[in-house]
């Protein structure tokens, strides 16, 4: 499948590009910055919130064969101002969706985040039926971007899969990560499942590995064909060598962990 990956220079992009290529996909990168040395994929520099830049990227990328799907990873991966969050998550998604319609690209896989439901108290395993409950402006941006995907799926019949990614890291570093970790290899498996699942329509899935201590239900991800192979439990002894702190307790209270704390509170305007 020929796939345009936005935010290709970011931490997830840098794992996905080789990962999807190794699995036989034809990957095209897009980012604000030039391709890191040694990147084998075709690459376009541009802002995916800018309709002209996106249009010309779609046109140029199509010379190598029609783009069949977009994996939208670009965006500020942290808390910012509300304006910046809306531009970074909602306007980029809108710009890409419009370009997809213009160029008959029918599937988008979106890097949403657990912070779309981050303010949910941590009790039982959380499924995707739980209402949006952002913990930050970052989370608000992700909720709004998911709503936009749903609108375009309903209006135009696009396939739009929002992956609420947990903690994408080489390995878990904190107690919270023992529940929220998404390994690099599982991230590739998850995105490939979201790209290739037959007719998903609009779907939401949590993006974590098969963690023994998971806080999120993987049923909807597995329904897409995701078969995670890693478990944060492998690292539990190392993580738990350090005594638990008050920060660990705070992080365990809500699914968004540290993003819920007052450190992230600020006026919207
Ligand atoms: C995210 O969505 C963030 O991009 C990342 O920085 C981490 O905070 C991660 O979630 C997490 O919850 O661990």
């Amino acid at each position: 499948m020929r796939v345009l990956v936005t935010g290709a220079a970011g931490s997830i992009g840098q794992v996905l590009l080789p990962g999807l290529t190794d699995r036989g996909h034809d990957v095209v990168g897009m980012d604000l910055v030039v391709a890191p040395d040694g990147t084998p994929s075709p690459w376009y520099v541009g802002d995916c919130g800018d309709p002209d830049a996106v249009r010309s990227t779609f046109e140029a990328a199509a010379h190598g064969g029609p783009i069949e799907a977009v994996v939208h990873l670009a965006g500020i991966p942290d808390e910012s101002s509300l304006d910046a969050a809306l531009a970074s998550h909602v306007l980029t998604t809108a710009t890409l969706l419009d370009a997809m319609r213009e160029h008959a690209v029918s599937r988008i896989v979106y890097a949403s985040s657990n912070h779309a439901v981050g303010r949910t108290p941590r009790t039982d395993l959380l499924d995707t039926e739980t209402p949006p409950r952002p913990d930050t402006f970052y989370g608000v941006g992700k909720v709004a971007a998911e709503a936009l995907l749903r609108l375009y799926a309903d209006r135009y019949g696009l396939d739009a899969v929002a992956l609420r990614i947990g903690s994408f890291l080489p390995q878990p570093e904190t107690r919270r990560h023992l529940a929220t970790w998404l390994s690099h290899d599982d991230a590739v498996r998850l995105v490939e499942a979201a790209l290739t699942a037959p007719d998903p329509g609009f779907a939401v899935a949590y993006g974590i590995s098969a963690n023994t201590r998971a806080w999120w239900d993987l049923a909807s991800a597995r329904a897409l064909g995701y078969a995670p192979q890693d478990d944060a439990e492998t690292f539990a002894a190392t993580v738990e060598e350090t005594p638990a702190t008050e920060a660990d307790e705070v992080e365990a209270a809500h699914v968004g962990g540290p993003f819920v704390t007052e450190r992230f509170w600020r006026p919207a305007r």
Side-chain angles (χ1 to χ4, degrees):
M1 179 181 266
R2 189 161 163 83
V3 185
L4 175 70
V5 176
T6 73
S11 60
I12 302 183
Q14 285 298 288
V15 168
L16 272 193
L17 254 61
L20 291 176
T21 305
D22 287 351
R23 286 167 170 257
H25 299 284
D26 184 8
V27 186
V28 178
M30 178 178 185
D31 206 293
L32 286 171
V33 298
V34 296
D37 285 347
T39 302
S41 312
W43 189 282
Y44 298 93
V45 175
D47 178 351
C48 57
D50 172 356
D52 292 334
V54 168
R55 195 170 296 119
S56 54
T57 297
F58 271 64
E59 276 160 18
H63 291 309
I67 296 289
E68 296 166 271
V70 172
V71 176
H72 182 25
L73 307 174
I76 306 168
D78 212 332
E79 180 58 326
S80 61
S81 68
L82 180 62
D83 285 17
L86 296 178
S88 173
H89 307 300
V90 189
L91 297 183
T92 59
T93 304
T95 307
L96 289 163
L97 286 166
D98 283 341
M100 286 171 59
R101 294 241 318 122
E102 266 176 47
H103 293 85
V105 179
S106 61
R107 184 172 302 215
I108 183 166
V109 175
Y110 177 58
S112 184
S113 168
N114 72 86
H115 297 287
V117 291
R119 198 64 179 74
T120 314
R122 237 262 320 132
T123 49
D124 302 326
L125 201 65
L126 211 66
D127 65 26
T128 53
E129 296 303 310
T130 197
R133 200 163 175 182
D135 51 21
T136 43
F137 298 143
Y138 172 65
V140 169
K142 293 301 188 187
V143 169
E146 287 186 9
L148 204 58
L149 296 179
R150 171 141 235 174
L151 177 68
Y152 274 61
D154 285 342
R155 270 189 185 164
Y156 306 116
L158 296 182
D159 288 315
V161 182
L163 302 175
R164 290 182 182 160
I165 295 172
S167 305
F168 172 82
L169 292 164
Q171 63 182 69
E173 293 164 7
T174 65
R175 281 170 169 74
R176 174 174 178 267
H177 294 160
L178 296 176
T180 63
W181 185 52
L182 174 64
S183 75
H184 285 186
D185 288 347
D186 280 342
V188 177
R189 292 182 185 105
L190 177 62
V191 170
E192 190 186 35
L195 282 170
T196 56
D199 305 319
F202 172 74
V204 174
Y206 292 107
I208 54 172
S209 286
N211 303 327
T212 302
R213 306 186 197 190
W215 293 347
W216 300 302
D217 189 352
L218 280 177
S220 62
R222 289 185 191 279
L224 296 168
Y226 173 50
Q229 305 293 309
D230 297 318
D231 182 344
E233 208 57 24
T234 315
F235 301 92
T238 317
V239 169
E240 289 176 335
E241 260 171 22
T242 332
T245 63
E246 209 182 308
D248 288 312
E249 244 175 76
V250 171
E251 292 201 357
H254 294 87
V255 303
F259 278 36
V260 171
T261 61
E262 285 187 35
R263 188 155 59 89
F264 289 87
W265 297 6
R266 58 190 67 173
R269 300 311 297 271

